[in-house]
Amino acid sequence: MLAAGEIGDVPAAPCCPESGDETKNTEEKSDVNTAALVGSEQLGQGGGDHELLLYVSAFIEKEVGSDLKSLKTLGKLIEQMTESKVKLEEQVLTISSEIPKRIQSALKDAEEAKQALGDILGQEAPLFSSINSHLLIAQPWTDDLGAMISQIEEIERHLTYLKWVSQIEELSDNIQQYLMTNSVPEAASTLVTMTELDIKLQESSCTHLLSFMRATVKFWHKILKDKLTSDFEEILAQLHWPFITHTQSQAVGASRPASTPETYASLETLFCQLLKLQASDELLTESKQLPEKYCLPASPSVALPIQIMLVPLQKRFRYHFRGSRQTNVISKPEWYFAQVLLWIGSHSHFLDEKIQPILDKVGSAVNARLEFSRGLVMLVLEKLASDIPCLLYDDSLFCHLVDEVLLFERELHSVHGYPSTFASCMHILSEETCFQRWLTVERKFALQKMDSMLSSEAAWVSQYKDITDVDEMKVPDCAEVFMTLLLVITDRYKNLPTASRKLQFLELQKDLVDDFRIRLTQVMKEETRAPLGFRYCAILNAVNYISTVLADWADNVFFLQLQQAALEVFAENNVLSKLQLGQLASMESSVFDDMINLLERLKLDMLTRQVDHVFREVKDAAKLYKKERWLSLPSQSEQAVMSLSSSACPLLLTLRDRLLQLEQQLCFSLFNIFWQMLVEKLDLYLYQEIILANHFNEGGAAQLQFDMTRNLFPLFSHYCKRPENYFKHVKEACIILNLNIGSALLLKDVLQSASEHIPATAALNEVGVYKLAQQDVEILLNLRTNWPNPGK
């Protein structure tokens, strides 16, 4: 503030309009205000004349400086500082006048609040005393009122109890009256209402009431069920139920007696009335269940009328297949399997045509045929559960039983549409003891089969050898029989109810594959002295076939589902690393990857042995060709017709014979790998041992090119369109050796002038060289002897 006053006493300089830019004035004004505020803060903090003088001189130095022309702006600066002073004074006056008023108002409010609090505290003491005295006076009344309320509640409970008893008795009387007037449908409906009440009362603690209700329901349920069952059985007898033979069921559907419409009307009426008793029957009757170890899926009881329809068949089943009857033979499970399938088939038409419409009419979701099948299958499960312990350790009997179970299951599901979610024989076979025995037997018989197939005289012969279209893979009989064995095992276990059991069978299959691979390896080692022999090639074809089939199976939906199940098991047990789990989850790997990798390694090892053997023979046959005098051969112009070098004949004949032999003995895919591996080695051998080891005149280079391009390369033209692309070293070496003199000299100059930063790639590509490095081309150029004489 003081600085602004002092500056105000300085005479104002005349204002010059020459630098009156509006934008510039705005910026200057902003700078001045900022400087004034900063200066005020500094003066407030320092407070001394010395600081004031320093600030004023620094401010003038900043705004005016040493430029005399800047003195023209002093008048404007003084005006701005004066305005800032006035605004600051107004702000100080406003604040100094408002603050005391606010403080005074706050003090007044605090005094009023303090006075109000005192008044409230003064009223609190007498009020507290009054409340306490009132509570003391009212306490006896409260105790008396509580006792009365308890009595009222007790009376209400008694009244409710009596109402329930009265309601039960009323329903019971109604049922009695309906039965006396022969109104069975109304009686059944009333029993349904009583059953619903019984279900509602289950959470009650009134045990006597519950017992009374249950006894009443049981009493009337028995009477109604006996009456309706008796009438229903009479109607079924009129329809000649059950249909023991298929012809009988057809006769019932085709030739009906005169009373048939009335009979079927009575059948429908009684069936519907029995359905009404379903709830009370489930409430009163404990359904027979097999032990928990069989892990059967939860399922409701079979519909009551269908239970009654099943009774005569159940009696027949137990009569024939229980006890000491001649039909109850433990070694003939197919007898009772066939009987149950026959019964299902014999009654399906009647159930679909006569019973299912009744169920649809009452809005039931029950399928009559499946309910009937479910009731009969439970008989089979009980029979299996009792028979299996008796034959568990007899391999032949147990294996026969499993075979028959699988055949029964297949027909039950495929022909009769039995759902996989229902209880089935596979649940019995999945019981731990039985399942482990099943695995053991499967392994034993599979190993026996492998022994017999490998010892067979036709083990290494393809059964389709005379059929070219079928015999593309050239699969030996032992490999095909083995994969058929694995496929049969898959069909046997794929309907098991749980993924964990399926995974155990999958492990068995993988063990069998590994065992078969080891056996093939052992036989292969016996044949290593003749790697081109028929048996060695057959083993190789077998390994390739098994690997190919397993790779195809890996994409099968069934094995993909097993892969997902295995992923969940591995994740729970922390068996695999995160990388392996990720590969399984992303389908990058499969459940057969380990086996496929081992088989591929064996295949590559066997192919390598064959390639090495043929390559050794080719090298032996190439000894004369290697010693050819390439330096002194006549030029192409000196020969009437170019012909194959005589020293190359053994090499090419050996190569041709081996290719033909292996083409006939190996499957197409294996032979492709074989000749490509052989060509790779042969290309390097010819390049390193023949080309780089010799010098070539013009005739020698031309002869080499003729031998390669017109004789060697065409040997492989049956297997690919451009065989020369597999002999890159030889092909490009022939190009360099056969360049005309001018092109060779030019290329040599380019290579000599090339450097690391400026390679000669373009020049090499131009003459057709892509594989060989620059140094290799320089070596090849130096192997030429037909350079012009520098002396001439």
Side-chain angles (χ1 to χ4, degrees):
M1 300 296 289
L2 185 56
E6 287 189 0
I7 292 172
D9 295 337
V10 178
C15 182
C16 180
E18 294 175 1
S19 58
D21 184 80
E22 186 176 352
T23 305
K24 186 176 181 180
N25 289 341
T26 304
E27 293 174 352
E28 289 177 351
K29 185 175 181 181
S30 175
D31 293 341
V32 170
N33 290 337
T34 304
L37 290 172
V38 174
S40 300
E41 290 176 1
Q42 290 176 351
L43 285 175
Q45 294 170 359
D49 293 338
H50 181 66
E51 287 83 356
L52 176 62
L53 291 174
L54 288 176
Y55 168 71
V56 171
S57 57
F59 178 75
I60 293 174
E61 181 67 26
K62 177 183 177 184
E63 297 296 330
V64 178
S66 59
D67 188 2
L68 295 177
K69 293 181 179 180
S70 300
L71 293 174
K72 298 176 181 179
T73 63
L74 285 177
K76 191 180 295 183
L77 286 172
I78 293 170
E79 290 178 6
Q80 293 173 357
M81 297 300 294
T82 304
E83 290 177 5
S84 300
K85 174 187 174 185
V86 171
K87 289 180 180 179
L88 291 171
E89 288 175 346
E90 289 176 357
Q91 291 176 4
V92 170
L93 289 174
T94 301
I95 292 171
S96 62
S97 62
E98 287 182 358
I99 289 175
K101 292 180 181 178
R102 292 181 181 176
I103 294 173
Q104 187 176 3
S105 176
L107 289 173
K108 183 179 179 182
D109 292 341
E111 287 292 336
E112 291 176 355
K114 180 179 179 182
Q115 185 176 357
L117 181 61
D119 294 342
I120 292 171
L121 289 174
Q123 296 174 7
E124 184 265 343
L127 185 61
F128 180 76
S129 175
S130 175
I131 290 172
N132 282 337
S133 61
H134 178 73
L135 288 174
L136 290 173
I137 294 170
Q139 186 62 42
W141 298 350
T142 304
D143 295 340
D144 294 342
L145 187 60
M148 291 178 65
I149 291 173
S150 298
Q151 291 175 3
I152 292 170
E153 290 177 349
E154 183 69 21
I155 293 170
E156 285 181 346
R157 284 196 297 272
H158 292 167
L159 184 60
T160 303
Y161 190 94
L162 290 174
K163 284 181 179 179
W164 275 102
V165 173
S166 174
Q167 189 174 5
I168 295 168
E169 290 179 343
E170 182 181 354
L171 290 172
S172 180
D173 292 341
N174 290 341
I175 293 174
Q176 184 176 8
Q177 290 176 6
Y178 286 137
L179 289 177
M180 291 174 65
T181 58
N182 205 26
S183 301
V184 178
E186 290 79 3
S189 299
T190 307
L191 181 60
V192 171
T193 304
M194 188 182 291
T195 304
E196 292 172 352
L197 292 179
D198 190 336
I199 294 171
K200 288 180 181 178
L201 279 174
Q202 292 304 308
E203 298 180 359
S204 173
S205 58
C206 301
T207 55
H208 295 291
L209 180 62
L210 286 173
S211 299
F212 176 63
M213 170 66 89
R214 182 60 56 85
T216 307
V217 171
K218 186 175 182 179
F219 175 79
W220 290 118
H221 173 80
K222 184 178 186 306
I223 292 174
L224 281 171
K225 182 179 178 181
D226 290 347
K227 178 175 178 53
L228 291 173
T229 299
S230 175
D231 296 343
F232 191 61
E233 287 175 344
E234 288 182 9
I235 296 296
L236 291 175
Q238 293 176 24
L239 295 172
H240 305 289
W241 181 275
F243 312 137
I244 305 306
T245 62
H246 188 63
T247 54
Q248 185 180 349
S249 65
Q250 289 179 337
V252 171
S255 58
R256 302 172 183 173
S259 60
T260 295
E262 292 78 10
T263 303
Y264 282 115
S266 300
L267 174 72
E268 180 177 348
T269 302
L270 291 169
F271 195 95
C272 293
Q273 291 171 6
L274 283 167
L275 276 179
K276 292 180 180 179
L277 302 185
Q278 182 72 30
S280 57
D281 192 70
E282 291 178 357
L283 192 67
L284 299 171
T285 308
E286 292 186 6
S287 58
K288 293 176 63 177
Q289 295 288 343
L290 289 172
E292 292 183 1
K293 65 180 181 177
Y294 295 112
C295 300
L296 297 181
S299 58
S301 301
V302 177
L304 181 57
I306 295 181
Q307 286 183 35
I308 298 169
M309 297 172 75
L310 283 168
V311 169
L313 295 175
Q314 291 170 341
K315 288 180 179 178
R316 287 177 176 273
F317 187 91
R318 294 189 176 100
Y319 176 83
H320 287 292
F321 304 113
R322 296 279 185 165
S324 57
R325 295 288 168 184
Q326 292 181 352
T327 48
N328 184 27
V329 182
I330 199 169
S331 62
K332 298 290 184 181
E334 60 268 29
W335 287 356
Y336 60 83
F337 287 138
Q339 185 63 73
V340 167
L341 290 173
L342 178 62
W343 285 343
I344 293 174
S346 299
H347 296 84
S348 293
H349 180 76
F350 178 82
L351 293 167
D352 289 338
E353 294 294 324
K354 303 301 178 185
I355 303 300
Q356 190 60 48
I358 301 173
L359 290 167
D360 295 340
K361 190 174 181 180
V362 299
S364 174
V366 173
N367 184 299
R369 181 163 45 83
L370 294 181
E371 282 288 281
F372 183 79
S373 301
R374 187 158 67 93
L376 290 177
V377 168
M378 287 306 299
L379 291 173
V380 175
L381 301 190
E382 293 171 6
K383 175 67 174 170
L384 273 179
S386 64
D387 281 1
I388 284 179
C390 302
L391 48 79
L392 199 59
Y393 297 101
D394 188 319
D395 289 350
S396 60
L397 288 181
F398 182 77
C399 191
H400 177 64
L401 174 67
V402 171
D403 291 341
E404 292 299 329
V405 165
L406 295 173
L407 290 173
F408 172 75
E409 284 285 314
R410 184 178 303 168
E411 184 170 349
L412 189 64
H413 291 286
S414 61
V415 178
H416 301 291
Y418 193 78
S420 58
T421 53
F422 284 6
S424 69
C425 300
M426 302 306 286
H427 289 89
I428 306 298
L429 294 183
S430 296
E431 187 270 326
E432 182 64 27
T433 305
C434 179
F435 184 77
Q436 294 303 325
R437 185 62 185 160
W438 183 13
L439 277 177
T440 303
V441 170
E442 287 286 348
R443 185 187 302 274
K444 175 184 175 182
F445 281 97
L447 292 175
Q448 289 178 359
K449 184 69 175 175
M450 287 163 58
D451 289 337
S452 64
M453 72 176 73
L454 288 173
S455 59
S456 169
E457 292 182 0
W460 307 109
V461 179
S462 171
Q463 55 183 315
Y464 308 110
K465 62 179 180 179
D466 299 326
I467 310 174
T468 308
D469 295 339
V470 180
D471 197 33
E472 289 182 359
M473 297 287 288
K474 294 183 170 61
V475 187
D477 188 60
C478 64
E480 187 158 1
V481 172
F482 175 72
M483 294 312 293
T484 303
L485 173 66
L486 290 186
L487 187 61
V488 169
I489 291 176
T490 303
D491 288 337
R492 289 161 74 84
Y493 79 81
K494 69 180 180 182
N495 290 322
L496 283 169
T498 61
S500 61
R501 296 303 193 199
K502 294 176 184 177
L503 287 174
Q504 286 178 271
F505 257 104
L506 178 63
E507 288 301 315
L508 169 63
Q509 287 180 302
K510 291 164 70 173
D511 290 344
L512 292 176
V513 172
D514 196 46
D515 188 275
F516 194 70
R517 177 190 62 83
I518 293 171
R519 292 170 186 242
L520 290 178
T521 305
Q522 291 170 347
V523 180
M524 179 269 292
K525 289 180 178 178
E526 297 174 1
E527 301 294 326
T528 49
R529 292 183 180 179
L532 305 184
F534 170 75
R535 180 174 288 192
Y536 190 93
C537 292
I539 296 169
L540 183 51
N541 286 329
V543 171
N544 179 66
Y545 174 70
I546 296 171
S547 176
T548 304
V549 173
L550 290 179
D552 289 341
W553 285 2
D555 296 328
N556 184 281
V557 174
F558 174 72
F559 289 108
L560 290 175
Q561 292 171 344
L562 283 188
Q563 180 173 338
Q564 183 61 33
L567 178 65
E568 295 172 2
V569 172
F570 293 151
E572 289 176 3
N573 300 332
N574 293 323
V575 176
L576 299 179
S577 66
K578 290 184 178 180
L579 175 61
Q580 290 171 316
L581 288 174
Q583 289 174 339
L584 275 175
S586 63
M587 302 300 175
E588 291 179 13
S589 59
S590 71
V591 290
F592 295 114
D593 267 9
D594 294 341
M595 297 297 101
I596 293 173
N597 291 337
L598 290 171
L599 289 166
E600 288 295 316
R601 191 182 307 168
L602 176 59
K603 180 174 80 175
L604 182 60
D605 179 57
M606 294 181 70
L607 278 170
T608 304
R609 288 173 185 269
Q610 287 186 323
V611 170
D612 290 344
H613 183 84
V614 173
F615 184 62
R616 282 194 298 270
E617 290 186 350
V618 170
K619 284 200 300 182
D620 291 340
K623 288 179 179 178
L624 291 175
Y625 192 63
K626 186 177 177 182
K627 296 176 181 178
E628 188 72 52
R629 301 186 64 187
W630 305 102
L631 191 59
S632 58
L633 292 178
S635 64
Q636 190 172 358
S637 59
E638 296 175 4
Q639 302 181 57
V641 179
M642 291 287 291
S643 61
L644 174 66
S645 301
S646 58
S647 58
C649 291
L651 161 67
L652 296 177
L653 285 173
T654 302
L655 198 56
R656 183 201 65 181
D657 293 343
R658 291 312 184 197
L659 288 173
L660 288 174
Q661 177 186 355
L662 290 171
E663 184 182 13
Q664 293 174 356
Q665 293 183 349
L666 294 179
C667 70
F668 179 75
S669 60
L670 284 176
F671 181 69
N672 269 344
I673 299 172
F674 166 79
W675 73 256
Q676 289 175 23
M677 291 172 64
L678 178 62
V679 162
E680 185 178 355
K681 294 174 74 70
L682 186 58
D683 179 41
L684 285 174
Y685 173 75
L686 293 174
Y687 175 69
Q688 294 173 352
E689 301 294 330
I690 295 178
I691 297 176
L692 294 183
N694 290 283
H695 286 75
F696 297 83
N697 64 358
E698 182 181 352
Q703 184 64 48
L704 176 69
Q705 186 173 34
F706 182 83
D707 292 344
M708 297 297 106
T709 57
R710 300 292 296 277
N711 294 279
L712 176 63
F713 297 170
L715 277 180
F716 297 90
S717 60
H718 298 290
Y719 319 126
C720 63
K721 290 182 178 180
R722 300 180 64 86
E724 63 273 12
N725 289 339
Y726 291 91
F727 290 91
K728 293 186 185 299
H729 291 89
V730 172
K731 181 184 76 170
E732 293 180 3
C734 289
I735 291 173
I736 297 300
L737 292 174
N738 285 278
L739 282 176
N740 60 51
I741 298 298
S743 299
L745 286 170
L746 181 60
L747 180 61
K748 196 171 186 179
D749 291 341
V750 170
L751 294 177
Q752 289 175 351
S753 61
S755 63
E756 293 181 2
H757 303 291
I758 310 174
T761 307
L764 293 175
N765 292 347
E766 188 176 346
V767 298
V769 176
Y770 300 92
K771 176 74 174 178
L772 297 177
Q774 181 175 324
Q775 295 82 354
D776 296 333
V777 175
E778 290 176 352
I779 293 171
L780 288 169
L781 288 172
N782 291 329
L783 296 178
R784 295 173 56 129
T785 60
N786 57 333
W787 296 110
N789 191 342
K792 295 181 181 179

